[in-house]
Amino acid sequence: MDTLSKAESPNFKYSKRALRIFTYAETEAKKTNSIVYPIHLLIGTLIERTGICSELHSKYPDLLDIIIEHSLKKQPSCEQIPGCPPFSRPLSISTKQVLDHAFQAMERYNQVYINEGLIIKSIMNLPETLTTSVKDALDIEGILGIMSVPRDMIVSLKNYSFPYMADGEADIRKAEKNDIAPLKNFVKNNFGHGWLDSIETGFRQEKIPIYIACKNDTIVGFACFDSVQNKKGVFGPMGTAKTERTKGIGTQLLHHCLHEMKETGYEYAIISEAGPLEFYEIACGAVVIPNAL
């Protein structure tokens, strides 16, 4: 399968924020020759004022004007790729490369949506003429530190209540002592060995702070709290089998944990090194803890 057919496959999905960035990028491209270049994606990211994009703009308030000025210069002629969803305007080859690299990174990180962080990292790593011309004006390390690394998030539990959720496709229950072996196997098979210490920490506690999701008595997802290096008030890790994502299982697991954290007496929950930031923003109103400005 070539990269173009990958990008057009049903499994090639973008986060809602990434889709808004694309819309802004196309509007900016219309001001020149209507071809969407990577620099237009940068502009779209700075126009978007939610989540980490808002933090990016706050730290670099003059950056949008600088990049727009560069974008209005004569772009190099290039081969165009027409009709590449979700874009309505033609893309430059370099923009298509950005999307392909973001897709590959999404698969490496075992994610299901291409988000703004993957896109920005791909742009910064791309040796493309127009983007390179503006890179001297960019604090690349600082931008990547905001956009393209896992970030801690916080959820207020002061007024939290368990939300109504329709019955899901999996049964959610508290983990029991005899679940440790099958859960560790699930984690190893789906996510590697990195989370096993947290799983073992959770099972050593008198009240196991782990919930599991099962289908036909088979584990398809899990979520923990108070398990990362025994730190209290910290949610995670959480994981769902790739075949079971986007079905609401992760949201259910998250809220079972948050509900118990609220009942335990926590006023806030920290989500440590959250990857899919937009998932937590939508699911429970979590906000990114800003880097020092």
Side-chain angles (χ1 to χ4, degrees):
M1 178 182 289
D2 62 26
T3 54
L4 181 57
S5 55
K6 277 184 183 179
E8 294 174 348
S9 73
N11 295 324
F12 202 73
K13 299 177 181 178
Y14 298 97
S15 69
K16 293 180 179 179
R17 185 178 288 125
L19 291 173
R20 292 197 299 271
I21 288 170
F22 293 165
T23 298
Y24 299 138
E26 290 195 274
T27 299
E28 290 300 314
K30 188 178 179 181
K31 297 176 182 178
T32 52
N33 60 6
S34 292
I35 300 173
V36 179
Y37 286 86
I39 199 167
H40 296 127
L41 301 181
L42 280 175
I43 294 172
T45 303
L46 286 160
I47 293 174
E48 173 67 24
R49 301 291 171 84
T50 66
I52 52 176
C53 297
S54 176
E55 183 179 341
L56 182 67
H57 181 265
S58 295
K59 184 165 184 178
Y60 304 103
D62 300 326
L63 188 55
L64 179 58
D65 291 337
I66 293 171
I67 296 179
I68 287 178
E69 182 181 349
H70 278 264
S71 74
L72 294 175
K73 296 177 181 178
K74 181 176 175 60
Q75 286 98 344
S77 59
C78 70
E79 184 179 347
Q80 302 174 26
I81 298 177
C84 182
F87 292 89
S88 59
R89 298 185 183 281
L91 308 183
S92 68
I93 291 291
S94 55
T95 300
K96 182 58 173 58
Q97 290 173 336
V98 166
L99 301 182
D100 288 339
H101 292 166
F103 176 84
Q104 293 160 13
M106 178 196 74
E107 291 197 315
R108 284 198 306 273
Y109 297 142
N110 201 19
Q111 297 178 2
V112 293
Y113 290 100
I114 295 173
N115 60 38
E116 62 282 1
L118 298 176
I119 293 167
I120 290 297
K121 188 171 184 178
S122 297
I123 292 172
M124 295 305 171
N125 290 333
L126 182 71
E128 184 261 341
T129 303
L130 189 59
T131 308
T132 300
S133 70
V134 77
K135 282 185 179 179
D136 288 342
L138 306 183
D139 173 12
I140 294 177
E141 183 178 350
I143 291 172
L144 292 177
I146 293 172
M147 299 294 299
S148 301
V149 299
R151 300 289 302 275
D152 291 345
M153 306 183 78
I154 189 167
V155 184
S156 174
L157 300 178
K158 293 180 179 179
N159 299 310
Y160 173 84
S161 59
F162 194 87
Y164 168 78
M165 290 183 284
D167 292 338
E169 298 194 21
D171 297 320
I172 311 295
R173 65 173 175 83
K174 197 76 178 289
E176 302 173 351
K177 291 290 185 183
N178 60 358
D179 290 315
I180 186 169
L183 180 55
K184 288 176 68 176
N185 285 333
F186 170 78
V187 171
K188 283 189 290 186
N189 292 336
N190 288 273
F191 307 102
H193 292 74
W195 290 342
L196 294 182
D197 285 347
S198 294
I199 299 297
E200 291 172 352
T201 297
F203 275 97
R204 284 196 293 267
Q205 299 183 41
E206 182 178 352
K207 294 183 178 180
I208 301 172
I210 300 174
Y211 285 85
I212 58 176
C214 298
K215 292 181 71 171
N216 301 319
D217 296 323
T218 299
I219 295 175
V220 296
F222 79 101
C224 311
F225 65 94
D226 289 0
S227 298
V228 179
Q229 300 176 352
N230 254 331
K231 293 179 180 177
K232 300 301 181 183
V234 176
F235 170 82
M238 178 176 77
T240 305
K242 198 166 186 178
T243 56
E244 302 299 325
R245 295 179 194 171
T246 73
K247 297 179 180 179
I249 294 172
T251 300
Q252 290 183 303
L253 287 165
L254 167 66
H255 281 290
H256 276 81
C257 287
L258 293 180
H259 177 70
E260 184 168 339
M261 294 176 80
K262 166 78 171 182
E263 293 296 306
T264 301
Y266 294 126
E267 291 195 354
Y268 297 93
I270 301 296
I271 304 171
S272 179
E273 295 188 350
L277 303 179
E278 195 168 343
F279 165 76
Y280 291 107
E281 290 170 357
I282 294 171
C284 63
V287 295
V288 173
I289 299 174
N291 293 332
L293 296 179

